[in-house]
């Protein structure tokens, strides 16, 4: 049985990571504080314990990755999270991004299409700490119409296009952070939904994500 320990050494490595994120331009202190509060090594295999706080992505199961901390911080900063925001996340993966949002006081509804990864959420170590974090097995392109509308939507995979059903499930004035484009790199977009159901678009840096796929993989 794995031991989950957050030592002074781990906390020191997190502080160094926060310094790196600041140097790279992350300025939202609530984002930095959330990342500093969460033991990233808990979300990785114990073999990665020594390198868990390097600013890079690592493989998890089912061909997926835990995102680079800078990517998590960047997307979260763009999302402009407020306490009690109702947020839909597409792509639960390691649960690290969802935990950052929950740590910031958001109500998080997260969807995973990989059955194996979804099953692992039942053993999630922080389930009691984050009762505001709800897990779903499903197709990210479909969203969660039963729980809509959402204040914010965040997609943690490379979308080939902006999924229309996710725009529908966003409140007027709500924001979506989504990496869009097929190929090696994606444009990070922030979409704001207008009252008439259309959306305005802001483009930011390029990133590289695993592809967002339709359907469920069970």
């Amino acid at each position: 049985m794995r031991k989950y320990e957050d030592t002074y050494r781990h906390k020191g490595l997190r502080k160094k990571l926060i310094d790196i994120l600041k140097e790279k331009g992350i300025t939202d202190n609530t984002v930095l504080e959330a990342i500093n509060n969460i033991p990233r090594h808990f979300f990785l295999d114990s073999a990665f314990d020594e390198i868990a706080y390097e600013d890079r992505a690592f493989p998890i199961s089912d061909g997926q990755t835990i995102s680079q901390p800078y990517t998590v911080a960047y997307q979260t900063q763009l999302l402009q999270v407020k306490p009690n925001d109702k947020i839909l996340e597409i792509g639960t993966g390691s649960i690290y991004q969802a935990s950052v949002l929950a740590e910031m006081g958001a109500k998080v509804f997260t969807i995973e299409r990989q059955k194996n990864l979804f099953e692992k959420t039942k053993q999630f170590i922080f389930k009691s700490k984050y009762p505001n974090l709800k897990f779903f097995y499903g197709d990210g392109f479909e969203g969660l119409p039963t729980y809509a509308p959402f204040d914010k939507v965040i997609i943690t995979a490379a979308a080939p296009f902006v999924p229309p059903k996710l725009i529908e499930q966003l409140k007027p004035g709500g924001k979506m952070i989504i990496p869009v484009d097929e190929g090696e790199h994606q444009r990070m977009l922030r979409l704001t939904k207008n009252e008439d159901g259309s959306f305005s678009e802001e483009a930011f840096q390029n990133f590289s994500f695993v592809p967002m796929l339709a359907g469920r993989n069970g």
Side-chain angles (χ1 to χ4, degrees), residues 12-133:
L13 290 171
R14 275 207 296 288
K15 284 196 166 56
K16 286 182 181 175
L17 174 61
I18 296 304
D19 289 340
I20 290 168
L21 297 180
K22 286 179 179 176
E23 285 169 15
K24 289 188 171 184
I26 302 301
T27 56
D28 187 326
N29 285 326
T30 57
V31 174
L32 294 167
E33 186 178 349
I35 290 174
N36 194 42
N37 288 344
I38 295 173
R40 187 177 187 236
H41 62 287
F42 285 10
F43 297 80
L44 289 157
D45 187 277
S46 56
F48 291 97
D49 193 71
E50 292 297 318
I51 54 174
Y53 294 101
E54 292 181 9
D55 187 27
R56 59 186 176 111
F58 291 108
I60 55 174
S61 58
D62 297 278
Q64 306 301 299
T65 60
I66 180 172
S67 291
Q68 180 182 355
Y70 174 68
T71 306
V72 171
Y74 192 92
Q75 283 197 289
T76 307
Q77 179 166 281
L78 286 182
L79 201 59
Q80 300 172 338
V81 179
K82 296 180 179 62
N84 296 314
D85 269 351
K86 190 176 171 186
I87 300 178
L88 173 63
E89 181 197 36
I90 308 301
T92 310
S94 67
I95 325 178
Y96 181 66
Q97 171 72 79
S99 299
V100 170
L101 299 172
E103 177 71 24
M104 294 173 75
K107 297 171 185 169
V108 185
F109 298 74
T110 181
I111 302 177
E112 177 54 58
R113 69 178 293 274
Q114 299 281 358
K115 189 69 181 290
N116 287 341
L117 285 176
F118 173 73
E119 290 296 333
K120 287 180 180 176
T121 65
K122 292 170 184 173
Q123 281 82 47
F124 180 46
I125 186 172
F126 290 134
K127 268 199 166 168
S128 59
K129 184 179 181 184
Y130 301 130
N132 50 333
L133 178 46

